[in-house]
Amino acid sequence: MSALSLLGFGSDSQHERREGLFSVVDSLDGAWNILYNRRFIVENAFKRLEQNPAIQAIITAELNDTQRQIMMGESANHREHLSFIQHLTAAVETESPMAPNEAVTTPTTEAVEPTMDVSQLTNLARSLAEPAGARAGQLPKDFSPDALVSSYSEDLGNAS
Amino acid sequence: MRLSSIFRLVPGKADQSREAKLYRDLLRHEAKIGGKLFGPVPKGGRREFFCLDENTWIWHEEWLDDNKNRQVRTTRYDVRSNGVVKSQDGRHYQSVSNEELKRLYKAAKSYREQTTNELYQAVSQPVS
């Protein structure tokens, strides 16, 4: 026996005999209003339950709990992030030969004073050219250490 | 054609009877929908959950005990202004634990969604 029968809503057999609810609905005048009213009752019943102080207390407690969990999660993420940054900074300080503020250079348009004289430059050019000299067949014919030095000296002269 | 001529707004006695019957059938249909919200019903059992009126929710359960005897329990939840109380099998009212309240709220929420989807989706406004 169904709960509705127990509550005095008629026998189950009447209901069970029907082929389908909507065949009944379609055949009745005013069915639309009944459907609407019933929906209204269900909506209101749910709202009353939801807005009940006892339920509200539970919802608030659950929300607070969720919020707390999120905050704990965020805090854990933040700690993890800080730890990662600290690890990264430590790695940079250990592995980089430069201090952090030396790593950034400011571009300048001022002329650069030569710090080597021509003979020093010639020696440097020769030493640089030596490995290339081993592959002399691949170099341009006019290439020579002296030509490189004179070109470099001209640049310095123009700059000053 | 006017809507009022399609849906008669002042029904006669026969119409009232048919409308009352339709209302009961709707409730029965809702109760079946509600009974499915809690998962499968054990063999030989029966379960219904429905909104009786704006302040009352009913949970009806039938099952076979270990000795194959049929057991029936009807729980009525009354939503009052200061809380929710329940009465089982017509006995005195008692308070409802927080855990049970939480389950009732979730069940009512699912019930509203399911009945709206299955029965009331098309009904958005009253016919005037």
Side-chain angles (χ1 to χ4, degrees), chain A residues 1-10, chain B residues 27 50 52 58 74 76:
Chain A
M1 185 179 278
S2 74
L4 282 158
S5 300
L6 289 170
L7 290 164
F9 276 79
Chain B
L27 236 69
F50 61 95
L52 181 65
I58 305 287
T74 304
R76 175 192 175 111

Side-chain angles (χ1 to χ4, degrees), chain B residues 29-97:
Chain B
H29 201 78
E30 283 183 23
K32 280 184 183 174
I33 293 171
K36 293 175 189 165
L37 299 175
F38 305 89
V41 180
K43 197 179 174 185
R46 176 186 189 132
R47 184 181 292 146
E48 290 173 339
F49 176 75
F50 61 95
C51 159
L52 181 65
D53 56 44
E54 293 184 3
N55 295 305
T56 316
W57 295 83
I58 305 287
W59 173 35
H60 177 81
E61 186 92 22
E62 291 177 24
W63 72 100
L64 297 175
D65 65 14
D66 294 342
N67 299 320
K68 302 288 178 194
N69 293 322
R70 180 161 289 276
Q71 301 292 324
V72 180
R73 175 160 292 169
T74 304
T75 307
R76 175 192 175 111
Y77 294 94
D78 277 20
V79 181
R80 297 180 177 174
S81 58
N82 56 348
V84 180
V85 291
K86 72 173 179 182
S87 162
Q88 286 188 315
D89 301 325
R91 291 198 294 267
H92 64 277
Y93 280 102
Q94 51 185 304
S95 61
V96 181
S97 72

Side-chain angles (χ1 to χ4, degrees), chain A residues 72-106:
Chain A
M72 280 173 67
E74 280 178 354
S75 176
N77 285 343
H78 183 63
R79 279 199 301 274
E80 199 176 317
H81 180 68
L82 275 181
S83 158
F84 174 72
I85 294 288
Q86 281 164 357
H87 173 76
L88 200 66
T89 311
V92 167
E93 283 172 356
T94 311
E95 291 164 14
S96 170
M98 293 181 287
N101 47 0
E102 283 180 342
V104 181
T105 55
T106 311

